[in-house]
Amino acid sequence: MKKFVNDPQQFVPEMLRGIELANPGKLKYLPEYNLIMRADSPRDDKVSIIQGSGSGHEPAHVMAVGPGMLDAACPGDVFSAPPSDYVYETTKLLKSDKGVLHIINNYTGDRMSFDMGRELAEAEDVKVATIIVNDDVAVKDSTYTVGRRGVAGNFFVIKAVGAASERGAELEELVTLGERVNSVTRTMGMALTSCTPPAKGSPLFDLGDDEMEMGVGIHGEPGRRREKLKSANEIVDELLEAVVTDLPYNSGDEVALMINGLGGTPISELYIAYGRAHQQLTDRGVNVTRSYVGEYCTSLDMAGASLTLVKLDDELNDLLDAPAAVAVRVF
Amino acid sequence: MKKFVNDPQQFVPEMLRGIELANPGKLKYLPEYNLIMRADSPRDDKVSIIQGSGSGHEPAHVMAVGPGMLDAACPGDVFSAPPSDYVYETTKLLKSDKGVLHIINNYTGDRMSFDMGRELAEAEDVKVATIIVNDDVAVKDSTYTVGRRGVAGNFFVIKAVGAASERGAELEELVTLGERVNSVTRTMGMALTSCTPPAKGSPLFDLGDDEMEMGVGIHGEPGRRREKLKSANEIVDELLEAVVTDLPYNSGDEVALMINGLGGTPISELYIAYGRAHQQLTDRGVNVTRSYVGEYCTSLDMAGASLTLVKLDDELNDLLDAPAAVAVRVF
């Protein structure tokens, strides 16, 4: 296994400890509940926003904690939902007069944990609401999901509700906003390689040297089909066609375009994919006014990428422009 | 070859076009000289700062162009120095009354191109000065280098002189500053896997399933030795010992710590390495006050990482705190 790893059982705790050490005074790591939270949360003048999911998707979500983004992230082990009692404890710790918002990517295990954690917290008078993100157009149901999966598009939900929460929005307003962002966001991804979970020590699935998986899930779940490897342009065109036609995004629309790397693909290749997608959208009359190229929601060391579109309007542009600061610093 | 690539000969131009499209009004791509430059450069009240090198190290350097960082990047093809006439044309385009600063990582090919490009530009009355970065402690001379190699530590040189140039510093002051940053910066890297250049289509070198290369160069050049794979902690301890003892960094020193991914290693693993390095430095009495975890100077899709230390003082802290904006956006 070609990884920076000590004891695979300590993979997540050691990562979280590193995040805390790199952000002294800003982020806190609470080993007893395996969570990362802002040092200045909760505040009674602000809804607390929590996202949880399995680990292995970094920077989602433990590196998306900070002003204008999440108040806390409640990760499980690699590709495993967080335990419901950790969700419960995290929710209690982040209790605010204005309430607590759970953002969940649509996977059955995560929903179950968050539902139970929410019930336990509500029994202790914590006001909680939930947003489900399900932006992945690849498949209707999936290995771990009833309905569509939630993937990289959840970044836009976090960014929008994070910004609105800093401005004092009420819990119900944030739910409406988050659901609205989710409703105009669509994603599809593809894998060039499998990924290797630290505890398994070998690739999660087999993919031939000349094959790729179109519509792959971020836990290696099967996508639409396995195909022979194609050129960057052909891959992008296929992802784009699936995404554009789903909402659909029409000529004259203004959109954000995200090319998200899945962990093992260098940023040089992501910009090649971005250039093609931008040009094809322009040719369709769709106006790209916001660009996101890099890693947002990954699958360990998987080589591959996903393409996300968000239909923009004045309110969304304003929220996406708002200041934010997270653990991942580039300069 | 598991890559997003069309024609391998167009790998760099297609990436540069993608960068331009993602940064409208901010960055310009000039295909005739294969360069990326700020749309608002040059300015006669500011020294223009140019870095060039082979491609394949992104975000270095074509994604390090922007306010507070580079005015232009002049890349060659993958792992190849830029042609000297492109260096010349870039230097002329960025001509400013205050002069032009070349930052070069220490590789023989890059130095030759920049020396020739500089001479041609000086013959046309462009004032040019040069900073050589050579932060890699791994080996004395190397495959493509006389003396030490320049690697991820060059980020700190760019950031410091970029900030000072925005404040109106003179060319000679920037040279003194850049050389001072370089003199307190040390790096060593290691590879878990090789990388695959697009035009080659196969791994650049062979590394056994149970092997790693300590002290590897960012073009796959041999390092200090090939070893059996070790745990994350053992790898970090070995890198740290080599780096700390070289300057040396002493108890009581204040430092910046960078864990730089080489392209194929997910950020989760980089934070595991960061946590160990931070703890070991603290145990030595070295005070980590600035943290950088992510990809800064890569080697295509190589799995691996480098560790950089910079000895800080008030002037450096002030320059590293200064605002900057580059093409790589995380939120």
Side-chain angles (χ1 to χ4, degrees), chain A residues 47 100-102 118 128-132 157 161 169-182:
Chain A
V47 171
V100 175
L101 179 64
H102 288 173
R118 173 180 172 163
V128 186
T130 302
I131 295 172
I132 307 289
V157 177
V161 302
E170 301 299 332
L171 186 58
E172 297 72 20
E173 294 173 304
L174 293 181
V175 171
T176 303
L177 172 65
E179 289 177 345
R180 192 167 79 75
V181 177
N182 182 60

Side-chain angles (χ1 to χ4, degrees), chain A residues 1-6 10-12 14-24 56 58-59 63 69 155 159 190-193 207-212 229-236 239 263-276 278-279 288-296 298 300-301 303-305 320-331, chain B residues 1-6 10-12 14-24 56 58-59 63 69 155 159 190-193 207-212 229-236 239 263-276 278-279 288-296 298 300-301 303-305 320-331:
Chain A
M1 176 170 47
K2 294 256 171 163
K3 280 191 179 305
F4 292 91
V5 59
N6 297 300
Q10 296 301 312
F11 187 84
V12 174
E14 287 182 1
M15 169 183 70
L16 300 181
R17 177 78 177 136
I19 293 172
E20 180 187 55
L21 287 171
N23 294 274
E58 294 72 25
M63 299 167 197
M69 297 284 284
F155 163 83
K159 180 71 181 72
M190 58 80 60
L192 293 166
T193 70
L207 198 55
D209 280 347
D210 60 345
E211 289 181 323
M212 60 181 187
L229 210 51
K230 291 181 177 170
S231 72
N233 287 353
E234 290 169 309
I235 293 169
V236 168
L239 292 177
T265 288
I267 195 164
S268 47
E269 299 177 36
L270 300 180
Y271 272 98
I272 290 174
Y274 175 86
R276 176 67 175 190
H278 186 116
Q279 178 213 309
V288 179
T289 57
R290 305 187 75 90
S291 304
Y292 299 80
V293 187
E295 292 179 348
Y296 296 85
T298 62
L300 294 168
D301 54 353
L320 293 174
D321 275 336
V326 295
V328 182
R329 174 158 68 171
V330 282
F331 51 77
Chain B
M1 175 171 46
K2 294 258 174 162
K3 278 192 180 304
F4 292 91
V5 59
N6 297 302
Q10 295 302 312
F11 188 84
V12 174
E14 287 181 2
M15 169 183 71
L16 299 181
R17 177 79 177 136
I19 293 172
E20 180 187 54
L21 286 171
N23 294 276
E58 295 73 24
M63 298 167 199
M69 297 285 284
F155 164 83
K159 180 71 180 73
M190 58 80 59
L192 292 165
T193 70
L207 199 56
D209 280 347
D210 60 345
E211 289 181 323
M212 60 183 187
L229 212 51
K230 292 181 177 171
S231 72
N233 287 352
E234 290 169 307
I235 293 169
V236 168
L239 292 177
T265 289
I267 195 164
S268 48
E269 299 178 34
L270 300 181
Y271 272 98
I272 290 174
Y274 176 86
R276 175 68 176 190
H278 185 117
Q279 178 213 308
V288 179
T289 57
R290 306 187 75 90
S291 304
Y292 299 80
V293 186
E295 293 179 347
Y296 295 85
T298 63
L300 293 168
D301 54 353
L320 293 174
D321 274 336
V326 295
V328 182
R329 175 158 69 170
V330 284
F331 52 76

Side-chain angles (χ1 to χ4, degrees), chain A residues 200-274:
Chain A
K200 185 169 188 290
S202 59
L204 194 57
F205 59 96
D206 293 315
L207 198 55
D209 280 347
D210 60 345
E211 289 181 323
M212 60 181 187
E213 179 80 24
M214 288 299 296
V216 73
I218 55 173
H219 314 91
E221 308 97 299
R224 291 188 172 185
R225 60 183 168 279
R226 193 157 290 195
E227 298 180 32
K228 290 292 172 195
L229 210 51
K230 291 181 177 170
S231 72
N233 287 353
E234 290 169 309
I235 293 169
V236 168
D237 291 355
E238 195 168 330
L239 292 177
L240 192 64
E241 176 68 20
V243 170
V244 163
T245 56
D246 193 88
L247 187 62
Y249 301 86
N250 296 313
S251 178
D253 283 351
E254 183 189 328
V255 300
L257 167 61
M258 172 186 278
I259 300 292
N260 167 61
L262 292 180
T265 288
I267 195 164
S268 47
E269 299 177 36
L270 300 180
Y271 272 98
I272 290 174
Y274 175 86

